[in-house]
Amino acid sequence: MGETTTARVGNIVRKTNETSVSVSVNLDGTGAARISTGVGFFDHMLDQLSRHSLIDMDIEVTGDLHIDDHHTVEDTGIAIGQAISKALGDRRGIARYASLDLAMDETMTKAAIDVSGRPFLVWNVAFSAPKIGTFDTELVREFFQALAQNAGITLHVLNHYGANNHHIAETCFKAVARTLRAAIEIDPRQANRVPSTKGMLV
C-alpha cells in the first residue's frame, strides 16, 4: 500500500452573537498565512503558528472588540481546532507524538503533543505582566485551551524560563507549531495505519 494522497484540508465557519469566524487550513502546506482578526498581536502569533507548523491558514474574524479581545481569541482557537480536526480525519498515518524545547533569546519553552483524539491541556506558563501592549496575557492560555479541546489533542506547554513576556508568548506559539508539524506528518512506515493499538484515535 502506498502513502495516502487525500488532501488534508479543513474549512470552518462559526458565527455567534459575539464573533464571526472563518478558518481554512491545509495541513500539507508551506506555512502560507492570510490572517485578520482585528487584534494585531494575536495576528502576529497566528502567523508564527502557521509559518512554523507549515499549515496554510486563511483566517478572517470579526468580533466584539469594543468589549475586549477574549471572544475573538477564544472563538478563533475553537475554529482553528475544528478545522485541524476535520483535516486530520481518522488521523491515519500520522506520527502522532512530538515534543520540542524551543529557545528564543533569553526564553525557553517546551511543547509536547499527542494527536490522540482526546483533548487535554497542561499549561505551566506564567507571565510577569497582565498585558503585552494592549493584549491580555491570560488569553494565550485561553487560545491553546480552545485549540486543544477542538483539535482533539493532548497538549503540554512548559515555559522553562524567560524575562520578556513577548518572547514567552511567542515561544509558546512557535513550540506548539513545530511539535504540531512533526506530530501530524505522515509516517511513511505506517502511512495507511492509525497509530494506536486500538485501531482508532478517540
Side-chain angles (χ1 to χ4, degrees), residues 10-76:
N11 304 293
I12 294 293
V13 175
R14 186 176 193 274
K15 294 183 184 293
T16 71
N17 291 333
E18 297 165 341
T19 62
S20 176
V21 183
S22 174
V23 171
S24 297
V25 301
N26 177 358
L27 303 187
D28 301 306
T30 60
R34 190 180 71 84
I35 297 166
S36 177
T37 69
V39 182
F41 180 78
F42 187 43
D43 285 358
H44 176 49
M45 293 299 103
L46 293 178
D47 192 45
Q48 300 297 331
L49 184 66
S50 174
R51 177 65 182 85
H52 293 284
S53 67
L54 296 185
I55 298 174
D56 293 346
M57 295 186 181
D58 194 332
I59 301 169
E60 188 76 30
V61 186
T62 55
D64 53 358
L65 298 179
H66 61 287
I67 297 175
D68 64 12
D69 298 343
H70 187 280
H71 297 141
T72 293
V73 172
E74 183 177 35
D75 289 3
T76 301

Side-chain angles (χ1 to χ4, degrees), residues 175-202:
V176 170
R178 295 290 297 198
T179 52
L180 185 60
R181 170 183 169 183
I184 65 175
E185 284 288 321
I186 299 298
D187 181 347
R189 296 178 63 190
Q190 60 170 5
N192 289 289
R193 186 170 61 184
V194 174
S196 171
T197 54
K198 294 194 294 289
M200 60 191 302
L201 287 173
V202 291

Side-chain angles (χ1 to χ4, degrees), residues 88-101:
L88 283 168
D90 65 2
R91 306 175 187 226
R92 187 174 302 275
I94 63 170
R96 179 176 170 178
Y97 297 100
S99 65
L100 175 78
D101 288 300

Side-chain angles (χ1 to χ4, degrees), residues 82-181:
Q82 290 174 346
I84 290 172
S85 182
K86 186 175 181 180
L88 283 168
D90 65 2
R91 306 175 187 226
R92 187 174 302 275
I94 63 170
R96 179 176 170 178
Y97 297 100
S99 65
L100 175 78
D101 288 300
L102 188 136
M104 179 179 180
D105 296 341
E106 86 298 343
T107 302
M108 182 174 287
T109 298
K110 181 183 190 70
I113 286 178
D114 175 10
V115 185
S116 59
R118 297 185 303 278
F120 201 89
L121 176 68
V122 175
W123 183 256
N124 196 341
V125 179
F127 293 96
S128 62
K131 288 185 180 291
I132 301 169
T134 61
F135 186 83
D136 293 331
T137 50
E138 68 180 10
L139 294 182
V140 179
R141 184 193 185 282
E142 292 302 315
F143 171 78
F144 285 113
Q145 174 70 25
L147 180 73
Q149 285 292 319
N150 289 275
I153 61 176
T154 295
L155 175 61
H156 292 235
V157 184
L158 167 64
N159 175 239
H160 295 301
Y161 45 79
N164 182 288
N165 287 300
H166 187 131
H167 293 168
I168 292 171
E170 191 162 336
T171 55
C172 290
F173 278 85
K174 287 180 174 178
V176 170
R178 295 290 297 198
T179 52
L180 185 60
R181 170 183 169 183

